[in-house]
């Protein structure tokens, strides 16, 4: 066990200690151009690496950092220009499901190799496929994750993929492995003045009393709560003297209409009518968010907005980490371990049962969060 930074780290063997010492030298190398490989769709996959990028920027304040991925260049430029200087669209690669079109690969490689990156960081996944792509970027130093038995470009700068940790923490662990100081795991979604201007143009939002409304984001909810149960939750929240605001993508328009028709209260329906920026401005003054969308839950985490997040898988990987501010409800499958007999082959039968999330479960957390002062 060795003291490193502000914590104890348990090393499997002396070789890992040597690697950590070697990686301290990374900060002393002349690194001007850095490439980040994360070709996963969805802004939640970008926000997961923001704490690591913040540490990287602090370590190399003058480096030019290029993100290679599938995100919107415009939102990166607007929100995270202080962390990311440039963006290049991922061209596709054999074996990567999100590949746009592999015919772009030759032109892409010629372009990025000409940039002569000093450091390429594989922050995509466990590296079984993407590590060979990262190597083709032609960087002087490659670093990232790998899995035993698969291609590892450089054992000195590649760490075994920590698949049992939250998505945010595994990238911070990579930073620590590379000798880059890590300060915190805070998410961030910088707000713009235009976000509030856009929100104010939705007239009904101008009459929402600050800290007296609750947002329910409807995306993905049909997998967990029926329209009838959502209506019950909306009515219960209204009984507590809070205005209910429905948000979500345009695909949830019918669900929103059904919820409204089944409830006896008047909710503010913004489904399909609000952008990400305006939604973030809306969440600043809400008392509480209820959602089943990872990205929206990360917005709440970044804005320190209380939330109830309903997830159906990989809770520890994707859920916000502050379990006091953000309450997690899961309808994942559980195994009933009681003896229920043997099957025809003589083996003990086990039964799996889906633990449904109920309005009562949601309202228990609603009451707890609305009455809390943190």
């Amino acid at each position: 066990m060795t003291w490193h930074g502000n914590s104890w780290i348990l090393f499997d063997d002396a070789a890992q200690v040597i690697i950590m010492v070697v990686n301290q030298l990374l900060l002393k190398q002349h690194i001007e151009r850095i490439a980040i490989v994360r070709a996963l769709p969805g802004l939640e996959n970008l926000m997961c690496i923001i704490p690591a990028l913040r540490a990287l920027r602090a370590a190399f304040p003058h480096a030019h950092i290029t993100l290679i991925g599938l995100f919107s260049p415009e939102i990166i430029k607007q929100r995270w220009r202080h962390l990311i200087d440039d963006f290049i669209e991922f061209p596709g690669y054999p074996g990567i499901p999100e590949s746009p079109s592999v015919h772009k690969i030759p032109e892409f490689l010629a372009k990025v190799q000409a940039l002569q990156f000093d450091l390429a960081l594989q922050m995509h996944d466990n590296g079984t496929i993407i590590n060979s792509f990262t190597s083709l970027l032609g960087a002087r130093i490659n670093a990232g994750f790998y899995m035993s038995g698969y291609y590892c470009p450089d054992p000195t700068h590649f760490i075994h993929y920590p698949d049992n940790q939250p998505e945010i923490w595994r990238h911070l662990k990579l930073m620590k492995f590379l000798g880059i100081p890590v300060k915190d795991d805070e998410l961030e979604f910088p707000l713009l003045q235009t976000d509030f201007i856009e929100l104010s143009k939705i007239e009904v939002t101008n009459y929402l009393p600050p800290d007296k409304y609750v947002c329910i984001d409807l995306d993905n909810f049909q997998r967990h709560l029926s329209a009838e149960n959502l209506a019950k939750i909306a009515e219960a929240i209204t009984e507590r003297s809070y205005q209910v605001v429905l948000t979500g993508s345009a695909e949830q328009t019918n669900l929103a209409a059904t919820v409204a028709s089944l409830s006896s209260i008047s909710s503010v329906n913004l489904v399909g009518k609000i952008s990400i920026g305006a939604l973030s401005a809306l969440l600043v003054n809400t008392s509480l968010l209820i959602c089943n969308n990872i990205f929206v839950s990360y917005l709440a985490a970044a804005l320190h907005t209380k939330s109830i997040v309903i997830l159906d898988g990989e809770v520890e990987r994707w859920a916000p980490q502050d379990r006091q501010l953000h309450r997690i409800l899961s309808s994942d499958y559980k195994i009933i371990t009681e003896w229920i007999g043997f099957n025809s082959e003589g083996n003990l039968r086990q039964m799996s049962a889906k633990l449904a999330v109920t309005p009562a479960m949601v309202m228990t957390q609603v009451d707890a969060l609305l009455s809390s002062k943190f």
Side-chain angles (χ1 to χ4, degrees), residues 100-117:
S101 177
V102 294
H103 76 272
K104 297 180 180 179
I105 293 177
E107 180 183 354
F108 167 86
L109 291 178
K111 175 182 178 180
V112 296
Q113 289 174 6
L115 294 174
Q116 298 183 332
F117 288 111

Side-chain angles (χ1 to χ4, degrees), residues 309-320:
V309 185
I310 301 175
L311 296 176
D312 58 356
E314 296 188 290
V315 171
E316 292 306 317
R317 178 179 181 183
W318 294 109

Side-chain angles (χ1 to χ4, degrees), residues 58-293:
F60 302 101
H62 305 298
H64 189 92
I65 299 177
T66 299
L67 177 64
I68 299 172
L70 296 171
F71 311 107
S72 165
E74 190 60 29
I75 197 168
I76 292 172
K77 182 178 179 180
Q78 290 176 339
R79 310 282 174 178
W80 295 288
R81 189 58 186 266
H82 58 298
L83 300 177
I84 303 168
D85 299 294
D86 198 7
F87 174 83
I88 300 177
E89 183 183 10
F90 177 65
Y93 195 68
I96 302 296
E98 295 82 10
S99 293
S101 177
V102 294
H103 76 272
K104 297 180 180 179
I105 293 177
E107 180 183 354
F108 167 86
L109 291 178
K111 175 182 178 180
V112 296
Q113 289 174 6
L115 294 174
Q116 298 183 332
F117 288 111
D118 297 297
L119 173 64
L121 284 170
Q122 189 279 99
M123 300 173 70
H124 178 83
D125 62 7
N126 60 22
T128 56
I129 296 174
I130 203 71
N131 278 348
S132 57
F133 170 85
T134 304
S135 296
L136 290 173
L137 301 180
R140 180 163 53 88
I141 303 170
N142 291 310
F145 302 106
Y146 79 98
M147 291 288 285
S148 299
Y150 290 87
Y151 174 55
C152 176
D154 180 0
T156 302
H157 295 113
F158 276 73
I159 186 174
H160 195 273
Y161 188 66
D163 58 2
N164 61 342
Q165 292 193 0
E167 188 73 9
I168 296 167
W169 290 3
R170 67 184 61 178
H171 298 287
L172 292 175
K173 185 171 183 178
L174 174 62
M175 294 299 106
K176 290 182 178 181
F177 176 76
L178 295 174
I180 296 172
V182 171
K183 292 184 178 180
D184 58 63
D185 62 355
E186 290 287 318
L187 296 176
E188 63 177 84
F189 189 87
L191 294 169
L192 310 175
Q193 184 178 7
T194 53
D195 297 331
F196 295 93
I197 293 174
E198 183 180 351
L199 181 65
S200 69
K201 291 180 179 178
I202 305 174
E203 186 175 359
V204 67
T205 65
N206 295 318
Y207 302 101
L208 291 173
D211 295 322
K212 288 299 290 182
Y213 62 92
V214 172
C215 292
I216 303 178
D217 190 90
L218 296 181
D219 284 331
N220 302 325
F221 256 127
Q222 57 270 36
R223 293 185 298 182
H224 303 281
L225 289 166
S226 65
E228 290 80 4
N229 282 338
L230 285 168
K232 290 178 182 178
I233 292 170
E235 289 180 341
I237 290 171
T238 303
E239 290 173 358
R240 287 153 174 79
S241 301
Y242 288 84
Q243 174 68 61
V244 172
V245 180
L246 301 179
T247 65
S249 60
E251 288 80 2
Q252 308 307 322
T253 300
N254 290 338
L255 176 60
T258 303
V259 171
S261 68
L262 292 172
S263 64
S264 59
I265 55 98
S266 176
S267 59
V268 175
N269 185 358
L270 300 181
V271 173
K273 304 172 185 176
I274 191 168
S275 69
I276 291 173
L279 175 62
S280 63
L282 179 71
L283 293 180
V284 169
N285 290 317
T286 189
S287 301
L288 176 66
L289 165 72
I290 303 173
C291 72
N292 180 221
N293 181 294

Side-chain angles (χ1 to χ4, degrees), residues 315-350:
V315 171
E316 292 306 317
R317 178 179 181 183
W318 294 109
Q321 295 305 302
D322 186 339
R323 300 303 166 78
Q324 187 177 31
L325 194 64
H326 312 289
R327 305 298 172 87
I328 313 301
L329 296 176
S330 174
S331 59
D332 208 354
Y333 280 93
K334 304 296 181 183
I335 300 297
I336 298 175
T337 57
E338 288 86 0
W339 183 86
I340 55 176
F342 291 89
N343 59 23
S344 59
E345 290 154 2
N347 298 318
L348 177 66
R349 290 188 298 143
Q350 291 181 318

